[in-house]
Amino acid sequence: MEVKMKPKKIMIVDDEPAIAQTVKFILAAEGYDVSTALSGDECLEKLKKEPTDLVLLDVMMPKMTGWQVFEEIRKKHKDVQVAYLTVIRYSETAKDRMFKDGLADLINKPFDNDDLVNRVEKMLTTPRP
Amino acid sequence: MLASDVMSQDVVSIDPKKDILDALYTLYKTKADILYVLDGRIPLGVVTMRNLVDVIPNLGKKKPENILVEDVMNRSIKSVRPNDNAKELIDDLCERGAYSIPVMSGKEMVGAVNRLTFVKMFSEKCAKAYRVADLMSNTISTKNIYDSIETIRKEIMDYKTRRIVITDRDEVKGVITLSDLLIVLFSETGNLSDLTIEQVMSPGPLTVERDADVADAAKMMIKWKVGGIIVKDKNQRPEGWIRDRDIVHGVQIRLF
């Protein structure tokens, strides 16, 4: 008997609808169940209702920054993995701080589609420390 | 009203031996205005975004991870006792421009009184008391989105401006604050001129109309943890700020 696994759920959070939709399109084509949120506030509201495996989070957003949203997710949804999607190229030292704090990955925009897919797959298959 | 009646025990703090990257990371995550540097419950100093910005030009070959909080903290802190009159506190928050004043019992810090405390008080007790135009500050700095980041840095450093509104053909695109400039300490090159305004600015800032109720603006500040909201004129152009400091001034006039 074939057992179908439920697809992993990913939420894209970006105030630029075009970016959110593009990332959704790329990851949905890989079989993931993808939703979007256009603000940190919307993301946190949705997380209360939708079980989610991974949040891909823009850093510079209106009202609530990605930093704040990450902190809230870390406090209230410990099982949800979070990765930043960002235009800033962070130093290795800065990245280390964020990884130590529980961030799963840091993906630079603009990104290569294959690289994005590979990194998402790695995050979702690697057991959390 | 006493300091103990209005103080908050929710204080964001850091160890003096942590480096300034940890301080910045904590400020980013909590959106706090100030970090108390504590040895147990004994305050040794405070670190604000301004302390960290002052470090940037003097970095030279020194890496930010090698600069400790105790090297940059401001050691001169004015404190109050739990039984001190809150009126004196509010005067300090308004006139001296302090963000937060520690409340001490003996040598130990038992809480702090912040601007946010009085912003909350205003939102609860002063509905319909003032229009934004009554309390707003008419001074506003604007720059174009295509200006150089160096122009912004210079204005913030030289004129002690806290926030600059970024526009594109009169349309508000974002805001750059001290904390946004500090992202350079986290960046790969450590050089501000390698970044663009669009990379650094906070997009989609909060705005209010000049005729709006200040209590509503206060609620927005509390909800989104911001120290200032852009006031727009009838043509949707930015004409000033309503800041936490202006609202504390409103409390000072109305309730004390």
Side-chain angles (χ1 to χ4, degrees):
Chain A
M1 189 176 73
E2 191 182 335
V3 179
K4 272 202 171 175
M5 296 282 282
K6 265 191 172 180
K8 295 274 188 181
K9 295 193 86 166
I10 301 173
M11 192 188 300
I12 320 294
V13 190
D14 202 305
D15 60 307
E16 299 264 3
I19 295 178
Q21 285 306 319
T22 304
V23 179
K24 179 178 177 174
F25 180 78
I26 295 166
L27 296 177
E30 296 297 316
Y32 296 112
D33 180 356
V34 188
S35 64
T36 59
L38 298 178
S39 67
D41 199 32
E42 189 186 342
C43 162
L44 295 173
E45 278 305 310
K46 281 189 170 176
L47 281 178
K48 286 181 194 166
K49 302 168 210 153
E50 297 175 15
T52 302
D53 298 295
L54 172 67
V55 172
L56 296 180
L57 189 59
D58 181 22
V59 178
M60 304 304 273
M61 290 188 292
K63 296 172 184 162
M64 259 186 124
T65 64
W67 308 99
Q68 289 174 279
V69 180
F70 171 59
E71 186 68 356
E72 289 297 310
I73 295 175
R74 225 174 47 108
K75 280 188 212 156
K76 295 175 186 164
H77 308 277
K78 293 187 192 308
D79 295 335
V80 178
Q81 299 224 61
V82 180
Y84 285 149
L85 283 173
T86 172
V87 289
I88 301 280
R89 300 198 171 265
Y90 292 99
S91 67
E92 290 305 317
T93 319
K95 285 183 198 171
D96 284 348
R97 302 291 156 100
M98 296 180 229
F99 294 150
K100 236 182 235 173
D101 204 31
L103 191 74
D105 202 354
L106 212 149
I107 299 166
N108 274 116
K109 291 193 271 191
F111 46 79
D112 174 83
N113 294 2
D114 291 339
D115 183 50
L116 173 74
V117 170
N118 289 338
R119 290 166 83 157
V120 164
E121 191 187 339
K122 192 176 168 195
M123 281 184 270
L124 290 171
T125 51
T126 309
R128 301 192 65 189
Chain B
M1 197 181 295
L2 302 176
S4 56
D5 298 329
V6 289
M7 78 174 188
S8 161
Q9 288 174 321
D10 190 14
V11 171
V12 186
S13 66
I14 192 160
D15 186 282
K17 297 293 179 194
K18 293 279 186 184
D19 64 44
I20 59 169
L21 289 185
D22 280 324
L24 182 60
Y25 192 47
T26 307
L27 286 166
Y28 277 158
K29 287 194 303 180
T30 58
K31 232 179 173 181
D33 289 315
I34 193 165
L35 284 182
Y36 281 97
V37 185
L38 297 181
D39 177 9
R41 293 178 70 179
I42 299 171
L44 305 176
V46 292
V47 173
T48 63
M49 292 291 185
R50 177 64 70 182
N51 295 125
L52 298 180
V53 165
D54 288 343
V55 170
I56 297 175
N58 305 318
L59 272 178
K61 286 182 181 169
K62 217 170 179 185
K63 291 192 167 173
E65 56 266 36
N66 295 331
I67 303 174
L68 301 182
V69 162
E70 64 184 6
D71 298 334
V72 300
M73 70 184 183
N74 184 354
R75 290 167 194 271
S76 151
I77 336 170
K78 185 184 172 182
S79 64
V80 293
R81 304 277 154 194
N83 290 332
D84 285 349
N85 193 324
K87 185 182 183 317
E88 199 177 306
L89 281 166
I90 206 164
D91 291 344
D92 273 339
L93 291 170
C94 273
E95 317 319 337
R96 233 168 26 91
Y99 293 116
S100 174
I101 299 169
V103 182
M104 306 286 293
S105 176
K107 284 186 175 175
E108 294 195 340
M109 184 172 166
V110 289
V113 180
N114 308 312
R115 287 185 194 174
L116 189 66
T117 314
F118 292 105
V119 173
K120 275 182 188 157
M121 193 183 283
F122 189 100
S123 76
E124 288 159 9
K125 296 186 177 174
C126 301
K128 309 275 182 216
Y130 295 106
R131 290 177 318 135
V132 165
D134 300 331
L135 295 179
M136 67 183 266
S137 148
N138 289 304
T139 313
I140 190 160
S141 298
T142 60
K143 291 282 173 207
N144 189 278
I145 198 160
Y146 301 110
D147 278 329
S148 73
I149 194 82
E150 184 53 30
T151 319
I152 307 281
R153 187 199 67 81
K154 205 165 161 35
E155 180 137 349
I156 286 184
M157 300 294 281
D158 294 354
Y159 299 102
K160 304 263 181 213
T161 312
R162 288 238 325 135
R163 313 170 179 89
I164 293 181
V165 178
I166 305 300
T167 59
D168 185 5
R169 280 164 285 185
D170 280 345
E171 191 188 335
V172 174
K173 289 290 182 185
V175 170
I176 294 189
T177 63
L178 275 170
S179 63
D180 297 322
L181 284 185
L182 282 164
I183 198 71
V184 70
L185 293 178
F186 273 176
S187 74
E188 206 170 45
T189 64
N191 193 347
L192 199 59
S193 55
D194 292 334
L195 302 171
T196 64
I197 285 182
E198 267 193 296
Q199 282 178 316
V200 169
M201 75 176 187
S202 302
L206 295 171
T207 60
V208 286
E209 304 279 334
R210 65 190 336 271
D211 288 328
D213 182 3
V214 176
D216 290 337
K219 284 175 194 158
M220 286 163 78
M221 285 183 192
I222 297 160
K223 179 171 182 188
W224 300 112
K225 290 189 177 176
V226 294
I229 301 175
I230 298 168
V231 183
K232 281 182 169 180
D233 67 14
K234 282 176 186 156
N235 299 314
Q236 297 300 299
R237 282 189 295 243
E239 65 163 339
W241 288 97
I242 181 82
R243 304 164 304 174
D244 51 6
R245 193 172 173 172
D246 303 319
I247 294 179
V248 176
H249 185 56
V251 174
Q252 190 184 31
I253 304 167
R254 189 89 186 174
L255 302 176
F256 284 87

